Amino acid sequence: MKRACLSVVAVVLFSGFSAFSGGPIYMSTKGIFAHRGASKLYPENTSMALRAAVASGAQGVEIDIRFTKDQQLVLMHDSKVNRTTDGKGYVRNLTLAEIKKLDAGVWKHKAFAGERVPTFREALAVLPKNIWINLHIKESETLLEVAKIIKATRREHQSLFAIFAPDIEALRKFDPNLKIINMTRTLSNSTYVDNTLNLGADGMQFYGEFSMVKPNDVTKAHNAGLMTFNSGINNPKKIEKLFKMGVDFVLADDPVAALKVFHSVTNFYSVGYSVWAKEPLHLRKSTKLGFMPELIEVQTR
């Protein structure tokens, strides 16, 4: 992939334009992923939460994917629908038609009543092509179907398959160019880096308190050419420490709050997009000097 050296203003213009125009697409090398969408304020893994994440200016989103009884892909973190809908039962035991009858918003707040569980394709339709998508594969049997849809919709450039060791080889055989985050963690982060390299993955996702991640772990990963992610942290001060020690991306439930931290330690603009209007909603600019994240230019097929 070609490195793009652009001014900040050009980055904003090209990013906003290319998200929908079919021209060059620029992907950020650092930033915030909205965990299950903007899940602090909106019902997780819904189209509503994804729209809010895009509008916030997040550099990426994370979603969880499962199969229904009739082999349809839907967004759902838990194996059961109980926690995040008004229904009961395992996702795998319900048909898509049955799941579509469930209310996926009212559990969060009555204002979200009527929100439905989206299919994977419906979720993709909400997301522009210049933000990353962390695809958390919850069941191995969904892996290749997800990959087929990603290729069919020409989303390879922005897709990151968050999978465990047994699935990495299968995905590499299907398409060696798809990007993989190794989710098989070890007790030692140093060993985690080594295992990620041995498995042929492109990145790794640390978890939990910042004290579990050390700067030398991040440096070792970067020296090996790996992308670094951290999930399970929402405290602003801890997110700041993660970025200062070099972690590339932080998965956060509240992308707006997390982006404020990101902007405070970077000299970087963030753009929000309207899914319908297809134009920038707002710009935010740090007033403090810091490092400038690079953008990488990607070519879609």
Side-chain angles (χ1 to χ4, degrees):
M1 288 183 290
K2 181 182 177 182
R3 295 282 178 180
C5 297
L6 303 172
S7 69
V8 174
V9 174
V11 168
V12 171
L13 293 176
F14 283 127
S15 294
F17 176 76
S18 63
F20 305 97
S21 68
I25 296 176
Y26 300 98
M27 307 296 293
S28 179
T29 57
K30 291 186 180 293
I32 297 297
F33 275 54
H35 183 236
R36 305 177 197 171
S39 59
K40 180 176 181 179
L41 297 179
Y42 296 88
E44 67 182 57
N45 278 319
T46 61
S47 296
M48 179 182 290
L50 295 179
R51 290 189 184 102
V54 172
S56 76
Q59 287 77 22
V61 299
E62 185 264 0
I63 56 177
D64 305 286
I65 307 165
R66 291 186 181 275
F67 259 150
T68 63
K69 183 178 181 179
D70 47 349
Q71 302 291 286
Q72 299 299 307
L73 295 169
V74 294
L75 268 57
M76 186 73 61
H77 177 271
D78 300 357
S79 60
K80 290 183 176 182
V81 301
N82 301 35
R83 181 177 64 85
T84 56
T85 77
D86 60 350
K88 293 182 179 181
Y90 288 96
V91 179
R92 70 168 71 96
N93 292 338
L94 298 171
T95 65
L96 178 60
E98 290 171 327
I99 287 179
K100 279 296 187 180
K101 293 178 182 178
L102 303 179
D103 192 313
V106 72
W107 69 273
K108 189 74 170 179
H109 192 277
K110 62 182 180 181
F112 304 135
E115 186 72 7
R116 302 301 171 190
V117 175
T119 65
F120 178 46
R121 285 184 179 273
E122 287 170 345
L124 289 179
V126 170
L127 300 172
K129 291 192 173 182
N130 67 335
I131 67 171
W132 295 104
I133 309 174
N134 180 315
L135 302 162
H136 193 173
I137 305 299
K138 306 298 290 187
E139 302 160 326
S140 295
E141 55 265 33
T142 67
L143 175 63
L144 295 186
E145 185 61 25
V146 171
K148 289 175 184 177
I149 291 175
I150 288 299
K151 289 176 68 66
T153 54
R154 301 178 68 184
R155 299 274 189 157
E156 301 99 317
H157 68 281
Q158 67 183 138
S159 298
L160 301 160
F161 287 78
I163 54 180
F164 292 90
D167 291 330
I168 292 178
E169 183 178 358
L171 189 61
R172 281 287 179 242
K173 286 182 178 179
F174 176 77
D175 187 334
N177 296 314
L178 293 174
K179 302 174 193 66
I180 295 172
I181 300 173
N182 172 31
M183 297 291 282
T184 304
R185 302 183 182 96
T186 61
L187 292 177
S188 162
N189 282 330
S190 181
T191 304
Y192 184 18
V193 174
D194 295 333
N195 287 350
T196 300
L197 288 171
N198 292 336
L199 288 168
D202 304 284
M204 54 196 299
Q205 191 166 297
F206 302 111
Y207 183 81
E209 293 295 319
F210 74 89
S211 59
M212 296 177 63
V213 185
K214 303 297 182 184
N216 59 321
D217 299 323
V218 179
T219 299
K220 181 177 180 179
H222 286 165
N223 288 342
L226 297 173
M227 300 173 73
T228 54
F229 302 79
N230 200 101
S231 64
I233 295 289
N234 284 291
N235 181 283
K237 291 183 178 180
K238 294 177 181 179
I239 291 176
E240 180 179 352
K241 289 182 179 180
L242 285 169
F243 280 124
K244 285 184 175 180
M245 72 173 67
V247 170
D248 297 321
F249 295 99
V250 174
L251 282 65
D253 297 340
D254 185 348
V256 173
L259 281 164
K260 288 181 180 178
V261 178
F262 176 61
H263 297 146
S264 75
V265 294
T266 66
N267 183 25
F268 190 49
Y269 289 81
S270 183
V271 184
Y273 297 100
S274 166
V275 175
W276 300 282
K278 299 183 180 180
E279 61 185 14
L281 289 176
H282 57 269
L283 299 178
R284 280 199 293 271
K285 177 179 177 294
S286 170
T287 57
K288 298 180 181 180
L289 295 178
F291 61 88
M292 174 68 178
E294 292 181 86
L295 297 181
I296 51 175
E297 180 182 337
V298 296
Q299 300 296 330
T300 56
R301 298 177 183 178

